[in-house]
Every structure is written in structure tokens, then in C-alpha cells.
Amino acid sequence: MMFYPTYHFRSVCDISPEFLLEKGLRRLVLDVDNTLTTHNHPQPGKGVARWLKQLQESGISVIILSNNDTKRVEPFAALLDLPFEADGAKPLTSGYERCRRRFGCEKREMAAIGDQLLTDIWGGWRYGIATLLVDPIEPEVGWFFRLKRALERQMMKSYHRKGRAQYER
């Protein structure tokens, strides 16, 4: 189903390079807010830099794709020395296509990683790539995010009722 992730993890740091390579996933499209750091925070979350280094050492390439503007994404990406695409317009597919062109790869090698079903996961599904959902690092405070998270919780209950494990191992 379009809103269900291909895989579900607690955090990006739980996604091992071995798991990704076993699945043939060598190109990752990463969200920023509540995936790599807390919402609007300028520094990566605990363990993120080490995780990215492990990916790089394993031959896995990454790019940031964010719905935020360049002013937010560029300094964050620069801290991690990562390429990025801002104004991603997720769940539309144009941002994913820009990332694929920069990678110069086939879709089957790509995966989208993010914390939101209605943007990251739906967008990746619409583009035809694997999707890896991670739990948000912290709850957002705005009413719109709270409403969206309540809807996503209901969707994930259905996902788990269909026999999907809560988290990948």
C-alpha cells in the first residue's frame, strides 16, 4: 500500500550498511528534520555522523532531499559534507528524480529514508523506490504536525495488523 513503508526502523542509526547492501540499496535519499536531527536544529543527531561514515565506507552514497528551503538545508548538509536538494516538494516525485539523476543510478538501487508517511514514504512509493520509515526523533509541537502524526499512528496500526513487524532487525 502506498503509505506503508518497505521497512521500519527506530532510527537511521539502526539501519546497517549490511542490511542495505543485502537489499541492493546503494543510494539513499535522506530527509532532515526529525530523521537526521530534531526539527529545525542546525546540528546532526547523536550518532548520525558516525552512521554516515559507516555508509560511506561501505560504498553507499547519500543525498539529502528536504521540503525545506536552501537556507535551512545547505548549512546542515555542509556540516556533514553531503549533497542536497532543497524544496523537494515531497510527496511529489520531482525531487526524487533530481536525486536519481545526481546519483546516475537505477531506481532499484535507491531508497528514501524519512520520518513521515505522508511525505517521505508516500513520495518514495510514488517514485517507485524502497522506503524506510524511522520514528521521529521528537514530537513536533504545531497543531498541523500533531494532526498528521495522529493520522500516521492509525495508518501504522493497520500496517502492523497486516502482519508487518514493528521494527526491522
PDB file of all heavy atoms in Angstrom, residues 49-82:
ATOM      1  N   ALA A  49      26.593  11.277  12.376  1.00  0.00           N
ATOM      2  CA  ALA A  49      27.855  11.428  11.628  1.00  0.00           C
ATOM      3  C   ALA A  49      28.588  10.085  11.534  1.00  0.00           C
ATOM      4  O   ALA A  49      29.113   9.728  10.472  1.00  0.00           O
ATOM      5  CB  ALA A  49      28.738  12.496  12.266  1.00  0.00           C
ATOM      6  N   ARG A  50      28.614   9.331  12.624  1.00  0.00           N
ATOM      7  CA  ARG A  50      29.272   8.013  12.620  1.00  0.00           C
ATOM      8  C   ARG A  50      28.546   7.057  11.661  1.00  0.00           C
ATOM      9  O   ARG A  50      29.178   6.320  10.906  1.00  0.00           O
ATOM     10  CB  ARG A  50      29.303   7.444  14.043  1.00  0.00           C
ATOM     11  CG  ARG A  50      30.052   6.116  14.131  1.00  0.00           C
ATOM     12  CD  ARG A  50      30.167   5.588  15.562  1.00  0.00           C
ATOM     13  NE  ARG A  50      28.846   5.332  16.133  1.00  0.00           N
ATOM     14  CZ  ARG A  50      28.338   5.980  17.186  1.00  0.00           C
ATOM     15  NH1 ARG A  50      29.015   6.914  17.798  1.00  0.00           N
ATOM     16  NH2 ARG A  50      27.136   5.670  17.629  1.00  0.00           N
ATOM     17  N   TRP A  51      27.211   7.081  11.680  1.00  0.00           N
ATOM     18  CA  TRP A  51      26.416   6.228  10.784  1.00  0.00           C
ATOM     19  C   TRP A  51      26.710   6.568   9.323  1.00  0.00           C
ATOM     20  O   TRP A  51      26.906   5.674   8.497  1.00  0.00           O
ATOM     21  CB  TRP A  51      24.932   6.397  11.106  1.00  0.00           C
ATOM     22  CG  TRP A  51      23.998   5.668  10.203  1.00  0.00           C
ATOM     23  CD1 TRP A  51      23.795   4.313  10.153  1.00  0.00           C
ATOM     24  CD2 TRP A  51      23.141   6.237   9.212  1.00  0.00           C
ATOM     25  NE1 TRP A  51      22.843   4.015   9.197  1.00  0.00           N
ATOM     26  CE2 TRP A  51      22.433   5.183   8.606  1.00  0.00           C
ATOM     27  CE3 TRP A  51      22.885   7.543   8.798  1.00  0.00           C
ATOM     28  CZ2 TRP A  51      21.505   5.380   7.593  1.00  0.00           C
ATOM     29  CZ3 TRP A  51      21.956   7.750   7.791  1.00  0.00           C
ATOM     30  CH2 TRP A  51      21.276   6.679   7.201  1.00  0.00           C
ATOM     31  N   LEU A  52      26.752   7.859   9.014  1.00  0.00           N
ATOM     32  CA  LEU A  52      27.048   8.272   7.633  1.00  0.00           C
ATOM     33  C   LEU A  52      28.438   7.830   7.204  1.00  0.00           C
ATOM     34  O   LEU A  52      28.646   7.422   6.065  1.00  0.00           O
ATOM     35  CB  LEU A  52      26.893   9.789   7.493  1.00  0.00           C
ATOM     36  CG  LEU A  52      25.459  10.303   7.577  1.00  0.00           C
ATOM     37  CD1 LEU A  52      25.447  11.821   7.731  1.00  0.00           C
ATOM     38  CD2 LEU A  52      24.646   9.867   6.371  1.00  0.00           C
ATOM     39  N   LYS A  53      29.395   7.882   8.124  1.00  0.00           N
ATOM     40  CA  LYS A  53      30.761   7.419   7.816  1.00  0.00           C
ATOM     41  C   LYS A  53      30.758   5.919   7.510  1.00  0.00           C
ATOM     42  O   LYS A  53      31.422   5.465   6.573  1.00  0.00           O
ATOM     43  CB  LYS A  53      31.691   7.736   8.986  1.00  0.00           C
ATOM     44  CG  LYS A  53      33.148   7.437   8.711  1.00  0.00           C
ATOM     45  CD  LYS A  53      33.975   7.889   9.902  1.00  0.00           C
ATOM     46  CE  LYS A  53      35.416   7.874   9.721  1.00  0.00           C
ATOM     47  NZ  LYS A  53      36.238   6.963   9.383  1.00  0.00           N
ATOM     48  N   GLN A  54      30.000   5.148   8.273  1.00  0.00           N
ATOM     49  CA  GLN A  54      29.899   3.704   8.027  1.00  0.00           C
ATOM     50  C   GLN A  54      29.304   3.427   6.645  1.00  0.00           C
ATOM     51  O   GLN A  54      29.758   2.531   5.933  1.00  0.00           O
ATOM     52  CB  GLN A  54      29.036   3.030   9.092  1.00  0.00           C
ATOM     53  CG  GLN A  54      29.647   3.000  10.452  1.00  0.00           C
ATOM     54  CD  GLN A  54      28.668   2.503  11.511  1.00  0.00           C
ATOM     55  OE1 GLN A  54      27.445   2.548  11.335  1.00  0.00           O
ATOM     56  NE2 GLN A  54      29.196   2.054  12.629  1.00  0.00           N
ATOM     57  N   LEU A  55      28.282   4.211   6.270  1.00  0.00           N
ATOM     58  CA  LEU A  55      27.683   4.042   4.943  1.00  0.00           C
ATOM     59  C   LEU A  55      28.713   4.322   3.863  1.00  0.00           C
ATOM     60  O   LEU A  55      28.866   3.546   2.915  1.00  0.00           O
ATOM     61  CB  LEU A  55      26.479   4.971   4.776  1.00  0.00           C
ATOM     62  CG  LEU A  55      25.267   4.726   5.659  1.00  0.00           C
ATOM     63  CD1 LEU A  55      24.214   5.785   5.399  1.00  0.00           C
ATOM     64  CD2 LEU A  55      24.699   3.334   5.455  1.00  0.00           C
ATOM     65  N   GLN A  56      29.414   5.433   4.011  1.00  0.00           N
ATOM     66  CA  GLN A  56      30.420   5.826   3.022  1.00  0.00           C
ATOM     67  C   GLN A  56      31.496   4.751   2.897  1.00  0.00           C
ATOM     68  O   GLN A  56      31.885   4.389   1.782  1.00  0.00           O
ATOM     69  CB  GLN A  56      31.044   7.160   3.423  1.00  0.00           C
ATOM     70  CG  GLN A  56      32.074   7.668   2.443  1.00  0.00           C
ATOM     71  CD  GLN A  56      32.712   8.959   2.918  1.00  0.00           C
ATOM     72  OE1 GLN A  56      32.773   9.250   4.107  1.00  0.00           O
ATOM     73  NE2 GLN A  56      33.188   9.734   1.969  1.00  0.00           N
ATOM     74  N   GLU A  57      31.964   4.236   4.014  1.00  0.00           N
ATOM     75  CA  GLU A  57      32.998   3.193   3.997  1.00  0.00           C
ATOM     76  C   GLU A  57      32.493   1.913   3.337  1.00  0.00           C
ATOM     77  O   GLU A  57      33.286   1.114   2.842  1.00  0.00           O
ATOM     78  CB  GLU A  57      33.478   2.902   5.417  1.00  0.00           C
ATOM     79  CG  GLU A  57      34.303   4.029   5.997  1.00  0.00           C
ATOM     80  CD  GLU A  57      34.598   3.864   7.479  1.00  0.00           C
ATOM     81  OE1 GLU A  57      34.022   2.943   8.136  1.00  0.00           O
ATOM     82  OE2 GLU A  57      35.391   4.670   7.994  1.00  0.00           O
ATOM     83  N   SER A  58      31.179   1.716   3.320  1.00  0.00           N
ATOM     84  CA  SER A  58      30.576   0.536   2.692  1.00  0.00           C
ATOM     85  C   SER A  58      30.217   0.772   1.232  1.00  0.00           C
ATOM     86  O   SER A  58      29.626  -0.098   0.590  1.00  0.00           O
ATOM     87  CB  SER A  58      29.328   0.122   3.472  1.00  0.00           C
ATOM     88  OG  SER A  58      29.664  -0.225   4.786  1.00  0.00           O
ATOM     89  N   GLY A  59      30.501   1.953   0.730  1.00  0.00           N
ATOM     90  CA  GLY A  59      30.207   2.254  -0.672  1.00  0.00           C
ATOM     91  C   GLY A  59      28.780   2.703  -0.929  1.00  0.00           C
ATOM     92  O   GLY A  59      28.318   2.668  -2.070  1.00  0.00           O
ATOM     93  N   ILE A  60      28.088   3.130   0.103  1.00  0.00           N
ATOM     94  CA  ILE A  60      26.710   3.593  -0.034  1.00  0.00           C
ATOM     95  C   ILE A  60      26.719   5.118  -0.125  1.00  0.00           C
ATOM     96  O   ILE A  60      27.290   5.786   0.743  1.00  0.00           O
ATOM     97  CB  ILE A  60      25.846   3.113   1.149  1.00  0.00           C
ATOM     98  CG1 ILE A  60      25.788   1.578   1.156  1.00  0.00           C
ATOM     99  CG2 ILE A  60      24.449   3.727   1.086  1.00  0.00           C
ATOM    100  CD1 ILE A  60      25.178   0.976   2.398  1.00  0.00           C
ATOM    101  N   SER A  61      26.094   5.659  -1.152  1.00  0.00           N
ATOM    102  CA  SER A  61      26.020   7.105  -1.355  1.00  0.00           C
ATOM    103  C   SER A  61      24.729   7.653  -0.783  1.00  0.00           C
ATOM    104  O   SER A  61      23.697   6.979  -0.821  1.00  0.00           O
ATOM    105  CB  SER A  61      26.070   7.435  -2.844  1.00  0.00           C
ATOM    106  OG  SER A  61      27.232   6.920  -3.427  1.00  0.00           O
ATOM    107  N   VAL A  62      24.790   8.880  -0.291  1.00  0.00           N
ATOM    108  CA  VAL A  62      23.603   9.519   0.262  1.00  0.00           C
ATOM    109  C   VAL A  62      23.465  10.934  -0.269  1.00  0.00           C
ATOM    110  O   VAL A  62      24.445  11.575  -0.637  1.00  0.00           O
ATOM    111  CB  VAL A  62      23.608   9.536   1.812  1.00  0.00           C
ATOM    112  CG1 VAL A  62      23.671   8.130   2.374  1.00  0.00           C
ATOM    113  CG2 VAL A  62      24.748  10.369   2.341  1.00  0.00           C
ATOM    114  N   ILE A  63      22.227  11.389  -0.290  1.00  0.00           N
ATOM    115  CA  ILE A  63      21.898  12.766  -0.621  1.00  0.00           C
ATOM    116  C   ILE A  63      20.739  13.181   0.268  1.00  0.00           C
ATOM    117  O   ILE A  63      19.894  12.345   0.608  1.00  0.00           O
ATOM    118  CB  ILE A  63      21.556  12.928  -2.119  1.00  0.00           C
ATOM    119  CG1 ILE A  63      21.431  14.400  -2.509  1.00  0.00           C
ATOM    120  CG2 ILE A  63      20.296  12.152  -2.480  1.00  0.00           C
ATOM    121  CD1 ILE A  63      21.339  14.628  -4.020  1.00  0.00           C
ATOM    122  N   ILE A  64      20.715  14.435   0.648  1.00  0.00           N
ATOM    123  CA  ILE A  64      19.595  14.957   1.431  1.00  0.00           C
ATOM    124  C   ILE A  64      18.546  15.494   0.467  1.00  0.00           C
ATOM    125  O   ILE A  64      18.878  16.223  -0.470  1.00  0.00           O
ATOM    126  CB  ILE A  64      20.068  16.068   2.383  1.00  0.00           C
ATOM    127  CG1 ILE A  64      20.918  15.458   3.502  1.00  0.00           C
ATOM    128  CG2 ILE A  64      18.888  16.849   2.939  1.00  0.00           C
ATOM    129  CD1 ILE A  64      21.559  16.483   4.424  1.00  0.00           C
ATOM    130  N   LEU A  65      17.297  15.135   0.704  1.00  0.00           N
ATOM    131  CA  LEU A  65      16.156  15.696  -0.011  1.00  0.00           C
ATOM    132  C   LEU A  65      15.190  16.218   1.050  1.00  0.00           C
ATOM    133  O   LEU A  65      14.652  15.443   1.829  1.00  0.00           O
ATOM    134  CB  LEU A  65      15.459  14.655  -0.887  1.00  0.00           C
ATOM    135  CG  LEU A  65      14.192  15.128  -1.594  1.00  0.00           C
ATOM    136  CD1 LEU A  65      14.500  16.243  -2.594  1.00  0.00           C
ATOM    137  CD2 LEU A  65      13.499  13.960  -2.299  1.00  0.00           C
ATOM    138  N   SER A  66      15.016  17.531   1.066  1.00  0.00           N
ATOM    139  CA  SER A  66      14.176  18.144   2.088  1.00  0.00           C
ATOM    140  C   SER A  66      13.147  19.062   1.457  1.00  0.00           C
ATOM    141  O   SER A  66      13.411  19.688   0.427  1.00  0.00           O
ATOM    142  CB  SER A  66      15.048  18.957   3.053  1.00  0.00           C
ATOM    143  OG  SER A  66      14.262  19.639   3.995  1.00  0.00           O
ATOM    144  N   ASN A  67      12.000  19.158   2.091  1.00  0.00           N
ATOM    145  CA  ASN A  67      10.993  20.122   1.671  1.00  0.00           C
ATOM    146  C   ASN A  67      11.349  21.532   2.139  1.00  0.00           C
ATOM    147  O   ASN A  67      10.724  22.497   1.718  1.00  0.00           O
ATOM    148  CB  ASN A  67       9.614  19.734   2.208  1.00  0.00           C
ATOM    149  CG  ASN A  67       8.991  18.617   1.404  1.00  0.00           C
ATOM    150  OD1 ASN A  67       9.473  18.249   0.338  1.00  0.00           O
ATOM    151  ND2 ASN A  67       7.910  18.056   1.907  1.00  0.00           N
ATOM    152  N   ASN A  68      12.342  21.650   3.011  1.00  0.00           N
ATOM    153  CA  ASN A  68      12.800  22.957   3.464  1.00  0.00           C
ATOM    154  C   ASN A  68      13.518  23.693   2.336  1.00  0.00           C
ATOM    155  O   ASN A  68      13.948  23.093   1.352  1.00  0.00           O
ATOM    156  CB  ASN A  68      13.761  22.810   4.646  1.00  0.00           C
ATOM    157  CG  ASN A  68      13.036  22.455   5.920  1.00  0.00           C
ATOM    158  OD1 ASN A  68      12.156  23.175   6.358  1.00  0.00           O
ATOM    159  ND2 ASN A  68      13.406  21.325   6.500  1.00  0.00           N
ATOM    160  N   ASP A  69      13.702  24.994   2.532  1.00  0.00           N
ATOM    161  CA  ASP A  69      14.412  25.790   1.528  1.00  0.00           C
ATOM    162  C   ASP A  69      15.929  25.670   1.709  1.00  0.00           C
ATOM    163  O   ASP A  69      16.420  25.122   2.700  1.00  0.00           O
ATOM    164  CB  ASP A  69      13.962  27.251   1.560  1.00  0.00           C
ATOM    165  CG  ASP A  69      14.215  27.937   2.891  1.00  0.00           C
ATOM    166  OD1 ASP A  69      15.073  27.481   3.677  1.00  0.00           O
ATOM    167  OD2 ASP A  69      13.552  28.955   3.148  1.00  0.00           O
ATOM    168  N   THR A  70      16.651  26.191   0.745  1.00  0.00           N
ATOM    169  CA  THR A  70      18.112  26.096   0.735  1.00  0.00           C
ATOM    170  C   THR A  70      18.727  26.704   1.984  1.00  0.00           C
ATOM    171  O   THR A  70      19.706  26.179   2.516  1.00  0.00           O
ATOM    172  CB  THR A  70      18.679  26.774  -0.533  1.00  0.00           C
ATOM    173  OG1 THR A  70      18.137  26.102  -1.671  1.00  0.00           O
ATOM    174  CG2 THR A  70      20.188  26.697  -0.585  1.00  0.00           C
ATOM    175  N   LYS A  71      18.153  27.789   2.475  1.00  0.00           N
ATOM    176  CA  LYS A  71      18.688  28.471   3.655  1.00  0.00           C
ATOM    177  C   LYS A  71      18.739  27.526   4.864  1.00  0.00           C
ATOM    178  O   LYS A  71      19.654  27.614   5.670  1.00  0.00           O
ATOM    179  CB  LYS A  71      17.822  29.695   3.959  1.00  0.00           C
ATOM    180  CG  LYS A  71      18.381  30.606   5.005  1.00  0.00           C
ATOM    181  CD  LYS A  71      17.668  31.947   5.047  1.00  0.00           C
ATOM    182  CE  LYS A  71      16.184  31.785   5.277  1.00  0.00           C
ATOM    183  NZ  LYS A  71      15.500  33.069   5.498  1.00  0.00           N
ATOM    184  N   ARG A  72      17.796  26.613   4.982  1.00  0.00           N
ATOM    185  CA  ARG A  72      17.796  25.639   6.080  1.00  0.00           C
ATOM    186  C   ARG A  72      18.695  24.442   5.762  1.00  0.00           C
ATOM    187  O   ARG A  72      19.458  23.973   6.593  1.00  0.00           O
ATOM    188  CB  ARG A  72      16.359  25.153   6.346  1.00  0.00           C
ATOM    189  CG  ARG A  72      16.229  23.834   7.097  1.00  0.00           C
ATOM    190  CD  ARG A  72      16.657  23.937   8.547  1.00  0.00           C
ATOM    191  NE  ARG A  72      16.392  22.699   9.264  1.00  0.00           N
ATOM    192  CZ  ARG A  72      17.315  22.024   9.915  1.00  0.00           C
ATOM    193  NH1 ARG A  72      18.559  22.439   9.970  1.00  0.00           N
ATOM    194  NH2 ARG A  72      17.001  20.906  10.554  1.00  0.00           N
ATOM    195  N   VAL A  73      18.627  23.933   4.541  1.00  0.00           N
ATOM    196  CA  VAL A  73      19.265  22.664   4.213  1.00  0.00           C
ATOM    197  C   VAL A  73      20.764  22.799   3.939  1.00  0.00           C
ATOM    198  O   VAL A  73      21.561  21.960   4.365  1.00  0.00           O
ATOM    199  CB  VAL A  73      18.567  21.996   3.004  1.00  0.00           C
ATOM    200  CG1 VAL A  73      19.182  20.648   2.694  1.00  0.00           C
ATOM    201  CG2 VAL A  73      17.075  21.841   3.271  1.00  0.00           C
ATOM    202  N   GLU A  74      21.168  23.838   3.248  1.00  0.00           N
ATOM    203  CA  GLU A  74      22.577  23.970   2.845  1.00  0.00           C
ATOM    204  C   GLU A  74      23.571  23.948   4.012  1.00  0.00           C
ATOM    205  O   GLU A  74      24.531  23.176   3.984  1.00  0.00           O
ATOM    206  CB  GLU A  74      22.769  25.228   2.006  1.00  0.00           C
ATOM    207  CG  GLU A  74      24.177  25.359   1.454  1.00  0.00           C
ATOM    208  CD  GLU A  74      24.294  26.520   0.495  1.00  0.00           C
ATOM    209  OE1 GLU A  74      23.641  27.570   0.728  1.00  0.00           O
ATOM    210  OE2 GLU A  74      25.033  26.379  -0.490  1.00  0.00           O
ATOM    211  N   PRO A  75      23.361  24.729   5.088  1.00  0.00           N
ATOM    212  CA  PRO A  75      24.337  24.669   6.188  1.00  0.00           C
ATOM    213  C   PRO A  75      24.359  23.315   6.890  1.00  0.00           C
ATOM    214  O   PRO A  75      25.417  22.842   7.313  1.00  0.00           O
ATOM    215  CB  PRO A  75      23.918  25.783   7.143  1.00  0.00           C
ATOM    216  CG  PRO A  75      22.668  26.370   6.616  1.00  0.00           C
ATOM    217  CD  PRO A  75      22.362  25.758   5.291  1.00  0.00           C
ATOM    218  N   PHE A  76      23.195  22.673   6.993  1.00  0.00           N
ATOM    219  CA  PHE A  76      23.140  21.353   7.620  1.00  0.00           C
ATOM    220  C   PHE A  76      23.896  20.336   6.771  1.00  0.00           C
ATOM    221  O   PHE A  76      24.715  19.572   7.275  1.00  0.00           O
ATOM    222  CB  PHE A  76      21.685  20.908   7.825  1.00  0.00           C
ATOM    223  CG  PHE A  76      21.572  19.604   8.555  1.00  0.00           C
ATOM    224  CD1 PHE A  76      21.617  19.573   9.937  1.00  0.00           C
ATOM    225  CD2 PHE A  76      21.437  18.422   7.862  1.00  0.00           C
ATOM    226  CE1 PHE A  76      21.543  18.365  10.620  1.00  0.00           C
ATOM    227  CE2 PHE A  76      21.356  17.210   8.529  1.00  0.00           C
ATOM    228  CZ  PHE A  76      21.413  17.180   9.920  1.00  0.00           C
ATOM    229  N   ALA A  77      23.641  20.337   5.474  1.00  0.00           N
ATOM    230  CA  ALA A  77      24.330  19.413   4.563  1.00  0.00           C
ATOM    231  C   ALA A  77      25.839  19.678   4.556  1.00  0.00           C
ATOM    232  O   ALA A  77      26.638  18.736   4.505  1.00  0.00           O
ATOM    233  CB  ALA A  77      23.754  19.539   3.159  1.00  0.00           C
ATOM    234  N   ALA A  78      26.235  20.940   4.630  1.00  0.00           N
ATOM    235  CA  ALA A  78      27.658  21.291   4.630  1.00  0.00           C
ATOM    236  C   ALA A  78      28.374  20.721   5.854  1.00  0.00           C
ATOM    237  O   ALA A  78      29.514  20.256   5.749  1.00  0.00           O
ATOM    238  CB  ALA A  78      27.828  22.806   4.569  1.00  0.00           C
ATOM    239  N   LEU A  79      27.697  20.720   7.015  1.00  0.00           N
ATOM    240  CA  LEU A  79      28.298  20.136   8.227  1.00  0.00           C
ATOM    241  C   LEU A  79      28.658  18.666   8.030  1.00  0.00           C
ATOM    242  O   LEU A  79      29.631  18.175   8.591  1.00  0.00           O
ATOM    243  CB  LEU A  79      27.313  20.229   9.391  1.00  0.00           C
ATOM    244  CG  LEU A  79      27.227  21.537  10.139  1.00  0.00           C
ATOM    245  CD1 LEU A  79      26.119  21.467  11.176  1.00  0.00           C
ATOM    246  CD2 LEU A  79      28.546  21.866  10.802  1.00  0.00           C
ATOM    247  N   LEU A  80      27.850  17.983   7.242  1.00  0.00           N
ATOM    248  CA  LEU A  80      28.048  16.547   7.019  1.00  0.00           C
ATOM    249  C   LEU A  80      28.738  16.259   5.686  1.00  0.00           C
ATOM    250  O   LEU A  80      28.933  15.095   5.338  1.00  0.00           O
ATOM    251  CB  LEU A  80      26.694  15.834   7.077  1.00  0.00           C
ATOM    252  CG  LEU A  80      25.994  15.900   8.431  1.00  0.00           C
ATOM    253  CD1 LEU A  80      24.556  15.428   8.319  1.00  0.00           C
ATOM    254  CD2 LEU A  80      26.761  15.099   9.467  1.00  0.00           C
ATOM    255  N   ASP A  81      29.066  17.313   4.955  1.00  0.00           N
ATOM    256  CA  ASP A  81      29.700  17.189   3.643  1.00  0.00           C
ATOM    257  C   ASP A  81      28.861  16.316   2.701  1.00  0.00           C
ATOM    258  O   ASP A  81      29.369  15.408   2.051  1.00  0.00           O
ATOM    259  CB  ASP A  81      31.123  16.636   3.781  1.00  0.00           C
ATOM    260  CG  ASP A  81      31.952  16.836   2.512  1.00  0.00           C
ATOM    261  OD1 ASP A  81      31.661  17.791   1.759  1.00  0.00           O
ATOM    262  OD2 ASP A  81      32.862  16.015   2.270  1.00  0.00           O
ATOM    263  N   LEU A  82      27.558  16.630   2.660  1.00  0.00           N
ATOM    264  CA  LEU A  82      26.624  15.854   1.837  1.00  0.00           C
ATOM    265  C   LEU A  82      26.019  16.726   0.742  1.00  0.00           C
ATOM    266  O   LEU A  82      25.737  17.904   0.964  1.00  0.00           O
ATOM    267  CB  LEU A  82      25.476  15.307   2.693  1.00  0.00           C
ATOM    268  CG  LEU A  82      25.809  14.250   3.721  1.00  0.00           C
ATOM    269  CD1 LEU A  82      24.570  13.876   4.512  1.00  0.00           C
ATOM    270  CD2 LEU A  82      26.432  13.033   3.079  1.00  0.00           C
TER     271      LEU A  82
END
